Amino acid sequence: MTPPPSFTLTWAQLRDLRCAELEGAADGWGKASNRADAGRDRIEKQLLNGLRETQRGAAADAAVGRLRQLGQNLQYVYTECGLVRTALNSLAHEMRAQQRALRDALDDAEALRFTVHADGSVTYPEAGEGLVDGKPLPGGTASVTASPGLLPPSGLPAPNPNAGKAQDIADRVTKAVRTAAEIDWRFAGILRDLKAEEGLKVPDRTWTDAAGDAAAVREVARGYLKSGIPRDASPAARMAWWAGLTDEQREEYLAVYPDQIGNLDGIPALVRDTANRDNLQLLIGKLEGQDDSDAETKLAGLREIDRQLSAGHRPGEPPMYLLGIGDQGNGRAIVSFGNPDSSRNVATYVPGLNTSLDKEFASSDLKRARDTAIGARYYDSSSAAMVWLGYDAPQSIDGIDSLDVMGSERAEKGGGTFNRFMDGISATNEHEDPHLTAIGHSYGSRTVGAAAQEGGGIPGVDDIVLVGSPGVGVDRAEDLGVGKEHVFVGAAENDVVTKLPSKRQSAAGAAVWMTGPVGGYLLGDLADQGDDDLWFGKDPASSAFGARRFQVDEGPKLVSAEGVSIDAHSRYFDPDRGAVSANSIALVAAGRSDKLKAEEYR
């Protein structure tokens, strides 16, 4: 952004600028941001929970609604004040760089006994010797050029050796002043936009503006903050980086880059949750400003997650932590029930086909993780369970099945991302040797299988649970890196996905497309083919695979008097409709697999 011709800045003003005062103002805005954050935290963790636990009735419901609105307002204050602080600190940071450039030029002028004038021109004394009479050559004044430092040399020697030095100093002074003027003008525009509309309520459109504000401040804070985020480091190194920051630095990163800090593996869960709750509001604001079906679908999922976060948890249930959120691809969301850093047992559930950031995911998949956490905590109170939507699962589009479900590319790509996430969970967990479980459902079991096949296996994982699996990409449980006695399989008798024919069988026989809530699968004869091969390798429920098969409910038949149903594929986690399976998964997640009831192999 170029300032208008009427805007002027002198080198004396730049020299005398007190950047410390800008940083002092930034500190003030930081304190305001922290007070708003503390107020919001008190509302969410004390007042709301206290009301829910002790009060009932219309008055209590109205009070809860008012408190939620106040909490959202304080969240907005926290975000905007944090952006103002970082904008002021970034301004001071950039201005200091120009002050250093100016000071170096002025110091060089003083050492050479040159005079720098108010307009930036530089007068230099006589020097050198004339070719004819040998007398010193007269001094002069180097003027300010239109483009300092950009004009090529003429190739002719200057008559006075001081002339070139003076011109260099004049160019440096001019460049520093002009750059500082551009910086000042650019930040003035950003700071003018950081304001809220009048009133006591923060509407959705205000968050749309806040998303734009955050993007603008991120852009100008590149040199000040962004370069410090260790995106390419290991989770352990990221954890050390975060621990080494000052409180003020952490606050600025959280205010300006909640999207990056909240999704950075190796950052503590409480910090990620804080960052992602703020990023959730910014994402809602961002998508509010878009008018397309993809944005509407993701908005529905984000709003449902926001609703659950705002509702809090019931007494006795594990609290909810938002460990990841994003709108890239089909959407990203990682939600934990129970703190994965302080829990001794941590289970991570990877969903499969047709999973995306939508209302269905926010309702059903989050419930699966919550039910698993509640079940595991029954056996060991130090347990947490989460759902990990950190990859683009294959989708069925308009009733036509995506061919991606027939291949392993998405699983393999997702497996690598899953391993980095689990490496982060291992790094931040406070226990010396936590018990970690990876749970793969449907195509998610193929993703878990792909993760297990990477060098070293899934970081920190002790047990693997596969339910509703069409195969995992290996033919033996021992190839999953945890020992076959630590691989557990649940396969409902009426789950057609666990009986998919192999690729060879499908190619050899007739095939039909079948569509439904779990998408389309290429099906031939649904009966056991006799060789224990499924689409992605050996049947995990077979004796040849060698895993520990546990008991599950058989589920409704594919075809019955009520019609066609593939509901048997979606009941594994449900304590009401699939109690046997849900309990089995909870036992493994709690590290109590010794209590499992075995099922015969296929």
Side-chain angles (χ1 to χ4, degrees):
M1 181 181 295
T2 303
S6 60
F7 183 85
T8 58
L9 179 70
T10 67
W11 65 261
Q13 289 174 319
L14 174 59
R15 178 197 61 192
D16 298 335
L17 177 65
R18 298 178 181 178
C19 290
E21 293 185 358
L22 288 172
E23 292 168 334
D27 289 342
W29 285 98
K31 291 177 181 177
S33 178
N34 290 340
R35 283 196 293 269
D37 189 40
R40 177 188 61 173
D41 195 59
R42 184 164 182 262
I43 287 171
E44 292 180 352
K45 295 183 179 179
Q46 296 180 32
L47 299 181
L48 281 174
N49 286 339
L51 268 175
R52 293 190 191 99
E53 293 173 5
T54 62
Q55 304 296 321
R56 295 289 185 275
D61 292 342
V64 167
R66 294 286 293 274
L67 283 172
R68 283 179 180 170
Q69 182 61 60
L70 179 57
Q72 188 175 45
N73 290 356
L74 289 173
Q75 184 172 16
Y76 177 76
V77 172
Y78 161 77
T79 298
E80 291 290 294
C81 288
L83 293 176
V84 172
R85 171 178 57 183
T86 299
L88 290 172
N89 278 332
S90 295
L91 172 60
H93 174 78
E94 292 196 34
M95 283 299 199
R96 272 208 173 93
Q98 300 312 312
Q99 280 185 318
R100 286 193 296 270
L102 173 65
R103 186 169 54 248
D104 290 344
L106 295 177
D107 289 346
D108 288 347
E110 183 179 6
L112 293 167
R113 298 187 177 181
F114 293 176
T115 300
V116 181
H117 301 286
D119 64 353
S121 60
V122 179
T123 296
Y124 54 91
E126 61 182 15
E129 297 180 353
L131 296 177
V132 177
D133 55 12
K135 293 181 179 180
L137 297 171
T141 298
S143 60
V144 175
T145 61
S147 302
L150 298 180
L151 296 177
S154 65
L156 299 175
N160 184 329
N162 283 333
K165 298 176 183 178
Q167 188 63 60
D168 174 65
I169 292 172
D171 287 349
R172 288 156 60 194
V173 169
T174 302
K175 184 178 180 180
V177 171
R178 289 180 178 172
T179 302
E182 292 172 359
I183 293 169
D184 187 45
W185 183 255
R186 176 160 42 93
F187 275 89
I190 291 170
L191 290 167
R192 274 195 300 269
D193 290 338
L194 290 173
K195 60 183 180 182
E197 60 185 71
E198 295 182 3
L200 298 177
K201 184 177 180 180
V202 178
D204 289 343
R205 65 178 179 276
T206 305
W207 281 109
T208 301
D209 293 338
D213 294 341
V217 175
R218 285 175 193 152
E219 183 64 28
V220 298
R222 286 181 181 274
Y224 173 59
L225 283 178
K226 189 174 182 180
S227 60
I229 300 176
R231 289 178 294 278
D232 297 327
S234 68
R238 292 168 178 169
M239 184 179 176
W241 167 77
W242 184 259
L245 296 177
T246 64
D247 289 341
E248 291 76 12
Q249 288 172 323
R250 293 175 188 167
E251 289 164 4
E252 287 202 76
Y253 276 113
L254 285 171
V256 182
Y257 295 108
D259 56 330
Q260 296 194 36
I261 300 302
N263 291 285
L264 199 63
D265 299 328
I267 300 298
L270 287 173
V271 177
R272 292 181 71 161
D273 178 62
T274 297
N276 284 316
R277 287 178 186 242
D278 294 327
N279 189 40
L280 175 63
Q281 299 304 322
L282 294 175
L283 279 173
I284 290 174
K286 172 187 172 183
L287 295 178
E288 275 281 357
Q290 300 176 13
D291 185 19
D292 59 75
S293 59
D294 181 64
E296 290 177 2
T297 297
K298 290 173 180 173
L299 265 174
L302 292 173
R303 286 190 175 121
E304 175 58 21
I305 292 174
D306 185 43
R307 186 197 66 77
Q308 293 184 38
L309 287 168
S310 299
H313 61 283
R314 300 172 185 171
E317 287 191 0
M320 187 174 172
Y321 297 85
L322 189 58
L323 303 184
I325 198 73
D327 63 343
Q328 62 266 43
N330 294 328
R332 302 286 186 268
I334 307 169
V335 181
S336 180
F337 294 91
N339 189 332
D341 289 351
S342 60
S343 298
R344 182 168 46 250
N345 304 295
V346 181
T348 307
Y349 149 58
V350 181
L353 177 66
N354 265 359
T355 310
S356 63
L357 181 55
D358 55 16
K359 190 170 184 178
E360 173 66 19
F361 165 81
S363 300
S364 63
D365 287 283
L366 264 64
K367 182 181 183 300
R368 290 174 179 177
R370 181 188 288 109
D371 288 340
T372 300
I374 292 172
R377 287 160 71 96
Y378 176 81
Y379 296 104
D380 188 336
S381 60
S382 183
S383 298
M386 71 186 81
V387 54
W388 181 84
L389 180 60
Y391 78 121
D392 283 330
Q395 304 290 306
S396 293
I397 304 172
D398 297 328
I400 301 175
D401 298 285
S402 168
L403 294 178
D404 288 321
V405 75
M406 300 170 65
S408 296
E409 182 178 352
R410 294 199 179 200
E412 290 168 357
K413 186 176 180 179
T417 306
F418 181 65
N419 278 350
R420 290 188 288 276
F421 173 75
M422 293 305 296
D423 196 10
I425 292 297
S426 298
T428 57
N429 191 279
E430 299 165 5
H431 295 270
E432 184 175 350
D433 185 22
H435 171 247
L436 305 185
T437 303
I439 305 171
H441 174 245
S442 189
Y443 189 88
S445 68
R446 178 65 186 93
T447 303
V448 169
Q453 292 171 65
E454 287 198 347
I458 307 174
V461 164
D462 304 284
D463 293 320
I464 292 176
V465 177
L466 310 169
V467 288
S469 177
V472 296
V474 297
D475 289 334
R476 301 180 304 173
E478 61 194 68
D479 294 332
L480 294 178
V482 294
K484 66 180 183 179
E485 68 279 5
H486 290 283
V487 179
F488 304 89
V489 175
E493 179 61 28
N494 293 321
D495 183 355
V496 296
V497 176
T498 67
K499 297 182 178 181
L500 290 177
S502 68
K503 297 177 184 179
R504 178 183 58 79
Q505 292 159 350
S506 296
V512 295
W513 288 106
M514 178 176 179
T515 59
V518 297
Y521 289 98
L522 193 62
L523 302 178
D525 184 355
L526 295 181
D528 192 333
Q529 302 298 310
D531 60 3
D532 296 319
D533 285 338
L534 297 184
W535 189 262
F536 292 116
K538 196 66 67 179
D539 181 0
S542 68
S543 59
F545 190 79
R548 293 173 61 183
R549 187 182 182 192
F550 55 81
Q551 290 185 357
V552 302
D553 301 281
E554 65 179 18
K557 294 182 178 180
L558 176 64
V559 181
S560 67
E562 286 76 28
V564 177
S565 170
I566 47 177
D567 199 36
H569 184 61
S570 59
R571 293 190 174 191
Y572 293 99
F573 300 87
D574 195 321
D576 296 320
R577 300 186 303 157
V580 175
S581 174
N583 185 63
S584 297
I585 295 172
L587 282 169
V588 178
R592 300 303 307 273
S593 59
D594 56 302
K595 289 182 171 291
L596 278 179
K597 294 181 179 180
E599 179 66 89
E600 291 183 6
Y601 292 117
R602 284 178 175 171

